[in-house]
Amino acid sequence: MSTVTKAGLEDVVVSTSDICFIDGREGRLLYRGLDVNDLVAHSSFEEVAYLLWHGALPTRKELEAHVKALSATTSRRLPPKLITMLRALPKRTSPMEVLRTGVSALSAFDPDHADNSREATIRKAQRLTAQMPTLVATWERLRRGKAPVTPNPRLSLAANFLYMMSGKKPTELATKTFDVALILHADHEFNASTFAARVTAATLSDLHSAIVSAIGALKGPLHGGANEQVMLMVEEIGTPDRAEAWIRKALADKARVMGFGHRVYRVEDPRAKHLRRLATELGQQIGNENYVKILNTVARVVTDEKKIYPNVDLYSGAAYAAMGIPTDQFTPIFALSRVAGWAAHVLEQHGNNRLIRPRADYTGAIRAEYVPVDRR
Ligand SMILES: CC(C)(COP(=O)(O)OP(=O)(O)OC[C@H]1O[C@@H](n2cnc3c(N)ncnc32)[C@H](O)[C@@H]1OP(=O)(O)O)[C@@H](O)C(=O)NCCC(=O)NCCS
């Protein structure tokens, strides 16, 4: 049997895929062949979800039907019994735990839960994409002792989420920034959470189960949890004048700096520049540029000293914080977007399935002797 040459399946190709292409040396990212820079400039998250699931951009009529399915109150609202369940959770439950639990419970209420056909999986993907923002915002309101805000079907997914979080209509810049963040996080080839989703889907399990697996994988600080860790670092640094000394000491102490480095990119992550620009503009709009200034200093020092470059997580948190979103909601926000990619990968996996079942290179004992318990 062949052995693993590099830990963590680094550079191992496990399957073909038509969904997402990353050029780690040139810093390019394509969804279904379209450059993510063009999608940021011209598209919306809703359209990108369609592109990922169906393989091509929609016609106007297709887009209208798709947006309607994603924004209808019947799609966005949570079953009342689920809200009762959420109320029963301890207030200290983290938003990622709530999201994982809530998505699992949503499966029980889904009319297509027992149907794994492509058509039903697309309907479930639409419902989950519509429901997850409501789930995240509802928990935010409940844990603050406030009433959940009813989704507004006239608002885009980005605007409606911000509205449900705060109860106030967001500014145009906040909506645009959030929509761009959703586009940029929507897919990223065989990252850890997507791979987890595909492993689950490959047993011919259902979409909700695959997405619960993915949410569990996204939660860790080496993956989706990094954006929260970046903000904790910014808060610890406090003011821009302290940033240089802080980061130099962290590097001297051999700390792992969150928001930098990537398994695939050898240059700056192409998503980082958009979030840097929008976080800078939002900071100017709210009159607090400290977060971005701290991050710019940290980025200059880490890049100069270690030749490790910013990834998507470096600036996203600064943008979310400028919108008043609490730090522990950053990773759930990542999931609100990545659900589009996860669903696309489940559809692709089911479309040409083979069970994913690798082998281990066994390094344990051979033929150990069983010793009865009273002789150990
Ligand atoms: C994303 C990540 C897990 C990829 O890691 P990987 O491909 O397994 O690379 P490794 O962890 O083996 O790191 C390779 C080298 O770069 C260094 N390195 C990588 N990322 C680093 C970081 N963020 N801070 C400091 N050093 C880092 C490692 O210390 C290692 O150095 P060494 O060879 O001298 O030991 C890693 O870059 C990381 O932990 N980043 C921080 C978390 C983060 O931002 N995650 C979000 C990714 S989008």
Side-chain angles (χ1 to χ4, degrees), residues 7-8 10 188 191 220-227 229-230 247 250-251 254-266 269 271 302 306-314 334 338:
E10 181 170 352
H188 215 224
N191 59 90
L222 294 187
H223 188 11
N227 56 11
Q229 300 299 321
V230 169
I247 190 62
L251 291 182
K254 307 241 173 290
R256 188 160 286 245
V257 192
M258 295 293 139
F260 290 89
H262 201 274
R263 178 59 68 78
V264 184
Y265 294 117
R266 293 292 160 252
D269 182 330
R271 301 166 296 178
V302 173
K306 301 266 302 180
K307 302 286 172 274
I308 298 174
Y309 301 93
N311 61 43
V312 69
D313 292 312
L314 190 67
F334 191 151
R338 186 56 58 85

Side-chain angles (χ1 to χ4, degrees), residues 280-300:
T280 306
E281 285 173 28
L282 267 176
Q284 286 162 351
Q285 190 181 67
I286 64 158
N288 179 1
E289 297 175 61
N290 275 0
Y291 295 156
V292 170
K293 283 184 180 163
I294 289 171
L295 291 173
N296 287 344
T297 302
V298 169
R300 173 173 52 76

